[in-house]
Amino acid sequence: MKLQIPFHIPQRFPVGWNQSLTSTDAIPTEEQLTRAPHMDDDSYNSYVRLGINSRALVYAAMHAFSSTVIPEITSAGGGSFNKVFSIKFPDGFRVAARVPRPGRRDPGHIDSTVAMMTMARCYSGIPVPEVYAWNPDDDNAVGAPYMLLEWVEGIEPWNQWYDLSPTDRTEFLDELAAYHAKFAKPLPFQGIGSIYFAKLPAEAHISFDNASAYRLGPISRGPASRTGGGISSRRQTNPTSLRDFWLELWQHEVDSIIETFGLTRSTVIATADGPSPSIHETVTLGTFLDVAQAMLSLIRRCPLPPQSQSELFELSFATTDYAFRNIKMDPETRKITTFLDWDDVYMMPFLLCSRYPDDICWFDGSGERWHKTGAFLFLPLDEEGEIEEDSIPTTVEATAKEINSEAVNDDGSGSDGTADDSVAEGADDEEESLELEPGESYKFDPNTLPEHNPEEYDRPRRIKDTRLRRQYEQILTAHDARFGIDGFWEMRKDPLKIQHLLMNGWVEWLVKEEWVKERAVELKL
């Protein structure tokens, strides 16, 4: 089907749109679509209900393609941040309708996400689902912000990753690194922030493969960057200096806390009951201010590359959620078909476009040495040694698969590419099993682990992933020489940590308090 509306501006319904839907009985309500039979009212209203008009969501798809045929809408899963519906026309054409969950609706975030996805797809050549229509407001006919996207088939790579031969893994990493290099491609903007569509009239003829179709605007933090308690409002400037950007985030966070709690150091700002499950004790304003002062020292003293290495500060797409669960591939050819979940992608210096995929960052059993480095999940310690491929315990691989299978994505499918409502709708768990047949899901019970020394038990997997990271670095360098600059992989560690802390906010500062303070002292010496 051919798109019939401009999509660089929010979708607006014509007056009298609901008169197009005469067969209303054919369109189930949101409650009929999403409420499990056994779910009580409190659970449904607190955890599942979006408050949307499903008839309007169906019409949004009809309007986008000027169709008079009413398509079928069904629930199609989702994750912690978004709920997804399948809208399927009689000819088989299918659209994914993506709606942020209540509490995850930062005003204006969708317009940035749509522009970022479009630029990545059309300008940078990254496979991204096509956006058909969108609206960022709560007061539209649907009753919530939404996006209509290309429906994506395929599986997530982790489904096959653990069973691939070394040669097949290398081939997959090579393709992944080639796309990583496209994420890192220099973009023609000056300043750190988020991408938006250029301000053009609805009737404008726009070439989306041209940078002039876009503009740089204030950073709009995605839901994953706010779960630690960070302030969700957008920054109003676009600093060209990474350190200046950090200082803005720091100042905004501190000002917001003081505005909320005042200046009395004994005031309680957090307890084990809230605002975050990551906090296990009572926290006073004084404790926060001490950590904030250490954060400020970190920002000011963090070693950054010299300006003579300006190529490390060129702007690029940088994601904070780089994982196989956000990628789809063809199960037969193992070729990547799309990159999903663009809520947490930003315009950042190349230096920060340097995360490894989460799936080669095994850290279990790393012990006290890793915790001394801050225990950042995306920066595991390297583990050297000799191993045989079959020396990795089956339960270690099973745990890795379970982590991925529980991380239901936000694009309209479960981790195996099929519809999965288990997170949103509270579906019953499947029968547990470690012996899988094709198409079965991993359900791993950690209580079945034999007695073991965690550091040694997981060591083969840590060694294996260390080798994969070295291999990934080499492949990346073949695609972009900047990744091979002497000392690059070491020099980006502290900046990545500071970026993570500032994007996730003050709760994360408190969680990492020990490392923040110790590292601040080290950098003073």
Side-chain angles (χ1 to χ4, degrees):
M1 298 180 72
K2 186 176 180 180
L3 189 64
Q4 299 293 326
I5 61 172
F7 78 95
H8 65 288
I9 58 173
Q11 183 180 32
R12 304 295 182 195
F13 290 2
V15 176
W17 65 268
N18 53 353
Q19 296 176 8
S20 302
L21 302 175
T22 54
S23 303
T24 54
D25 291 340
I27 302 176
T29 65
E30 179 198 350
E31 185 168 354
Q32 291 171 330
L33 287 166
T34 62
R35 184 166 181 166
H38 60 274
M39 185 169 286
D40 59 61
D41 289 345
D42 286 344
S43 296
Y44 176 73
N45 290 324
S46 299
Y47 302 111
V48 177
R49 185 175 180 273
L50 301 171
I52 64 168
N53 181 344
S54 57
R55 295 178 72 244
L57 197 59
V58 166
Y59 178 77
M62 296 170 60
H63 176 245
F65 299 99
S66 295
S67 174
T68 58
V69 179
I70 299 176
E72 176 188 19
I73 183 171
T74 56
S75 174
S80 300
F81 305 134
N82 296 279
K83 171 64 187 166
V84 182
F85 299 90
S86 164
I87 299 179
K88 189 175 183 179
F89 289 86
D91 64 359
F93 182 74
R94 196 175 186 186
V95 173
R98 189 172 184 257
V99 181
R101 297 190 184 280
R104 306 296 188 184
R105 299 173 183 175
D106 189 14
H109 184 66
I110 280 185
D111 40 352
S112 172
T113 301
V114 169
M116 196 86 72
M117 293 175 68
T118 304
M119 186 173 190
R121 182 173 179 269
C122 299
Y123 180 83
S124 297
I126 300 170
V128 176
E130 183 177 358
V131 180
Y132 300 130
W134 56 281
N135 189 293
D137 303 322
D138 274 307
D139 59 356
N140 58 47
V142 173
Y146 64 87
M147 284 193 287
L148 300 184
L149 303 164
E150 173 187 4
W151 185 268
V152 180
E153 300 290 350
I155 65 170
E156 296 170 16
W158 68 264
N159 281 277
Q160 295 186 2
W161 176 253
Y162 304 96
D163 302 316
L164 294 180
S165 68
T167 298
D168 288 338
R169 285 185 178 178
T170 297
E171 289 182 0
F172 178 79
L173 287 180
D174 185 61
E175 185 185 23
L176 184 61
Y179 284 124
H180 190 150
K182 289 190 175 185
F183 273 79
K185 173 184 173 182
L187 298 172
F189 297 102
Q190 298 295 319
I192 294 169
S194 293
I195 294 296
Y196 300 81
F197 286 122
K199 295 180 178 179
L200 298 169
E203 65 276 9
H205 177 72
I206 304 173
S207 297
F208 292 102
D209 58 355
N210 192 301
S212 63
Y214 313 92
R215 62 182 173 89
L216 182 67
I219 193 163
S220 179
R221 285 191 272 189
S225 293
R226 302 198 302 269
T227 54
I231 306 302
S232 62
S233 59
R234 300 190 223 177
R235 307 305 304 125
Q236 296 304 311
T237 64
N238 298 109
T240 57
S241 158
L242 180 57
R243 207 181 303 272
D244 287 346
F245 172 67
W246 288 343
L247 288 169
E248 275 203 4
L249 291 179
W250 180 90
Q251 190 66 60
H252 184 61
E253 202 80 6
V254 172
D255 288 349
S256 298
I257 292 297
I258 291 175
E259 182 180 342
T260 303
F261 297 102
L263 291 170
T264 304
R265 289 180 62 88
S266 59
T267 299
V268 173
I269 66 171
T271 68
D273 296 325
S276 169
S278 301
I279 294 179
H280 306 295
E281 59 187 10
T282 298
V283 177
T284 66
L285 178 66
T287 299
F288 164 75
L289 292 176
D290 291 344
V291 177
Q293 190 60 39
M295 275 295 303
L296 181 60
S297 179
L298 266 181
I299 292 168
R300 288 173 171 168
R301 297 176 185 273
C302 176
L304 291 174
Q307 289 302 316
S308 59
Q309 291 182 314
S310 59
E311 66 271 26
L312 298 184
F313 294 98
E314 293 175 312
L315 294 179
S316 62
F317 291 122
T319 178
T320 59
D321 195 10
Y322 190 33
F324 289 175
R325 64 180 175 273
N326 292 323
I327 299 170
K328 285 291 181 71
M329 74 175 189
D330 185 297
E332 300 298 327
T333 65
R334 290 192 290 273
K335 294 296 183 182
I336 293 173
T337 57
T338 195
F339 287 84
L340 305 166
D341 197 355
W342 285 74
D343 281 330
D344 292 280
V345 180
Y346 310 97
M347 288 288 296
M348 292 289 168
F350 170 83
L351 183 69
L352 300 179
C353 186
S354 55
R355 286 201 183 195
Y356 307 110
D358 288 355
D359 307 77
I360 58 174
C361 291
W362 193 256
F363 56 84
D364 278 10
S366 296
E368 186 63 23
R369 294 179 302 123
W370 186 53
H371 288 277
K372 285 288 186 182
T373 70
F376 292 86
L377 304 186
F378 51 88
L379 287 173
L381 286 181
D382 290 343
E383 189 83 41
E384 306 298 337
E386 297 298 324
I387 58 167
E388 297 292 335
E389 184 72 19
D390 58 2
S391 67
I392 300 177
T394 301
T395 46
V396 172
E397 299 283 47
T399 303
K401 292 185 177 183
E402 176 68 2
I403 290 171
N404 279 293
S405 67
E406 289 181 345
V408 180
N409 58 46
D410 286 340
D411 73 302
S413 64
S415 296
D416 61 353
T418 61
D420 187 337
D421 296 333
S422 59
V423 171
E425 278 48 89
D428 295 331
D429 290 336
E430 300 290 336
E431 181 180 355
E432 296 183 355
S433 175
L434 286 179
E435 299 296 327
L436 299 186
E437 297 296 330
E440 288 187 304
S441 300
Y442 260 91
K443 292 294 178 183
F444 175 65
D445 181 2
N447 295 320
T448 62
L449 282 173
E451 291 187 12
H452 64 287
N453 178 329
E455 189 162 352
E456 288 302 314
Y457 188 77
D458 289 272
R459 187 167 180 267
R461 173 66 191 271
R462 296 197 307 273
I463 293 173
K464 180 179 179 180
D465 277 11
T466 297
R467 294 178 179 178
L468 289 169
R469 290 194 296 274
R470 297 295 83 77
Q471 184 181 10
Y472 191 66
E473 291 170 9
Q474 293 171 3
I475 299 172
L476 269 177
T477 301
H479 289 285
D480 188 328
R482 291 176 296 174
F483 289 109
I485 290 176
D486 188 40
F488 173 79
W489 293 97
E490 187 63 31
M491 74 173 70
R492 104 276 195 233
K493 289 182 179 179
D494 275 352
L496 280 174
K497 293 177 182 179
I498 292 173
Q499 177 79 3
H500 169 82
L501 291 170
L502 290 168
M503 291 294 284
N504 284 278
W506 64 276
V507 168
E508 192 72 358
W509 304 4
L510 294 170
V511 170
K512 303 293 187 185
E513 176 182 3
E514 183 178 355
W515 178 82
V516 168
K517 291 182 174 179
E518 289 183 357
R519 187 60 179 148
V521 171
E522 291 171 359
L523 291 177
K524 285 182 180 179
L525 301 179

